[in-house]
Amino acid sequence: MSDWIFRHTETHRLWLDVRDHNHRARHVYDSCGFTLEGTLRDCIKVGEHFESLHIMSILRHEYMEHEQKL
């Protein structure tokens, strides 16, 4: 997805959110060059409890540098 976005558009920054308990997804995004920007604490109500989201992003130049390393 990020490959198509950065190669076919003029997008400068791509961001996403990942639930704090989803360690597998966080690992994948880290390995793709995304950077953790912060955490939205208890921002989603799920049933009777709240969950937090991590906000992650990658900038165009970071994406291009990451792709060159592969």
Side-chain angles (χ1 to χ4, degrees), residues 51-66:
E51 293 185 6
S52 299
L53 292 175
H54 295 303
I55 305 300
M56 301 183 76
S57 72
I58 188 167
L59 303 176
R60 174 180 290 280
H61 74 88
E62 294 169 338
Y63 171 79
M64 295 302 184
E65 290 170 8
H66 181 74

Side-chain angles (χ1 to χ4, degrees), residues 3-57:
D3 181 61
W4 189 92
I5 290 170
F6 285 121
R7 296 194 185 278
H8 294 92
T9 71
E10 295 184 25
T11 300
H12 172 70
R13 178 178 176 270
L14 179 63
W15 76 92
L16 55 83
D17 52 66
V18 59
R19 293 189 182 196
D20 67 342
H21 60 79
N22 193 343
H23 304 290
R24 196 179 272 176
R26 171 85 190 273
H27 175 75
V28 170
Y29 299 135
D30 281 334
S31 69
C32 291
F34 281 78
T35 299
L36 177 65
E37 289 192 346
T39 302
L40 300 173
R41 299 180 311 142
D42 287 354
C43 65
I44 300 173
K45 187 169 185 177
V46 180
E48 297 298 315
H49 69 280
F50 288 89
E51 293 185 6
S52 299
L53 292 175
H54 295 303
I55 305 300
M56 301 183 76
S57 72

